[in-house]
Amino acid sequence: MSTLLHTLDAGVLHLTLNRADKRNAFDRGLYAALTDAIQAGDIDPEVRVIQLMAEGGCFSAGNDIADFLAEPEQGRRTDPPLKLLQAMRACRKPIVAQVHGKAVGIGATLLLHCDLVYVSEESALVFPFVALGLCPEGGSTQLIPQLAGHVKAFEWLVLGQPCSAMEAAQCGLVNAVLPVDQLSDQVDRAVTRLAALDPQAVQQSSRRLQLAAGEQLDALMQAEMDLFESLLEGEAAQRALKAFVSR
Ligand code: COA
């Protein structure tokens, strides 16, 4: 069974993370599948909206920790997450996220690059990077302070305190918090409305919003990943990551 499920229905490309036994952690295969699916959806005229969701009770546990410890077959360990985030940022089709349960690490950061985000009441965004001897990524060191202010950003990104669904909604990180039994109906209404709009108007408007975020964000995402990559080699990260896999 593939770790990413695709269906296309009435202009909506549904992409479902399907690695629930590993809490939808992103291994290299899942990164590549999601990056390719977003890039293919972006150029497919049949696709008007991309809906991202996950199987099971955890949206995503972030990067696969075993993969972080393994030697990369080629390139750097941080190439797959950076490529995914760049594909999301470049995508002109709106990306709508449906989040139930915890979104951890890149599972949380990638939500900053979606256009609409709906979460269940049980959800939380968790950025455990510093406790793992790593650093925040995906533009989060700029995007989260802009939305929530420095002290909340520091609490979530450095102290590693989970950002509850309610806090995320209060500061504009997500659109709405819903009881889990109402979540998919709310997302269906949003994607149906988007799919009914003129595609050119939607895509051009989306592009204007992306450009407004500026080249500075792309440069920051690269710089954060460079730092992340060097910290990954460090003793603190190696110790913390090995402790997780040998629990
Ligand atoms: N990478 C690889 N495997 C992971 C994983 C990750 N990031 N997160 C969870 N898993 C695996 C576990 O090893 C376990 O596998 P096993 O059944 O073969 O032993 C399985 O997923 C279930 O994990 P478990 O911790 O028992 O699930 P839980 O529901 O109690 O907790 C989380 C879910 C996400 C809170 C917890 O797994 C966690 O904190 N994971 C690490 C998240 C993290 O630090 N990510 C950032 C990486 S930069």
Side-chain angles (χ1 to χ4, degrees):
M1 180 67 97
S2 167
T3 57
L4 183 73
L5 307 178
H6 311 59
T7 55
L8 177 59
D9 181 25
V12 182
L13 176 63
H14 299 90
L15 298 177
T16 305
L17 309 181
N18 185 36
R19 208 178 169 228
D21 59 326
K22 296 288 182 189
R23 303 304 184 260
N24 298 309
F26 280 89
D27 61 3
R28 289 188 158 245
L30 184 52
Y31 275 125
L34 185 57
T35 304
D36 290 351
I38 287 170
Q39 287 173 334
D42 198 24
I43 55 174
D44 181 346
E46 296 295 310
V47 174
R48 291 181 168 216
V49 184
I50 297 173
Q51 181 176 339
L52 179 62
M53 52 202 166
E55 286 293 332
C58 175
F59 178 73
S60 172
N63 204 102
D64 188 296
I65 291 180
D67 262 17
F68 265 161
L69 288 167
E71 268 308 306
E73 283 159 24
Q74 54 183 14
R76 307 194 315 173
R77 289 179 176 86
T78 51
D79 287 346
L82 186 58
K83 279 186 187 148
L84 170 62
L85 296 173
Q86 287 169 337
M88 293 181 74
R89 206 170 124 57
C91 183
R92 292 182 190 207
K93 310 287 172 69
I95 304 177
V96 180
Q98 174 178 326
V99 179
H100 175 51
K102 285 189 176 152
V104 186
I106 189 145
T109 308
L110 66 77
L111 300 176
L112 302 172
H113 301 281
C114 294
D115 299 294
L116 293 171
V117 182
Y118 297 96
V119 302
S120 70
E121 290 168 339
E122 295 77 16
S123 300
L125 275 51
V126 191
F127 305 91
F129 303 110
V130 174
L132 293 170
L134 300 167
C135 65
E137 32 77 310
S140 58
T141 57
Q142 175 184 316
L143 297 171
I144 295 187
Q146 271 173 359
L147 288 166
H150 173 75
V151 294
K152 287 312 280 185
F154 197 92
E155 181 179 297
W156 298 330
L157 294 177
V158 181
L159 199 56
Q161 180 81 17
C163 166
S164 69
M166 208 48 80
E167 286 179 302
Q170 278 161 1
C171 70
L173 282 168
V174 307
N175 294 87
V177 183
L178 295 136
V180 65
D181 59 353
Q182 294 171 25
L183 182 62
S184 69
D185 284 351
Q186 170 65 47
V187 175
D188 286 350
R189 280 194 293 277
V191 297
T192 304
R193 274 182 65 187
L194 275 173
L197 294 169
D198 176 68
Q200 279 308 314
V202 170
Q203 289 164 37
Q204 295 296 337
S205 304
S206 176
R207 189 67 190 146
R208 293 314 313 166
L209 284 159
Q210 285 164 344
L211 291 173
E215 286 174 9
Q216 194 208 334
L217 179 58
D218 298 308
L220 172 71
M221 284 165 60
Q222 182 68 60
E224 286 169 341
M225 280 304 187
D226 290 346
L227 177 60
F228 195 108
E229 183 74 31
S230 70
L231 288 170
L232 257 179
E233 303 297 332
E235 199 187 312
Q238 290 293 315
R239 196 172 45 238
L241 298 172
K242 283 177 186 155
F244 178 83
V245 294
S246 59
R247 287 182 306 171

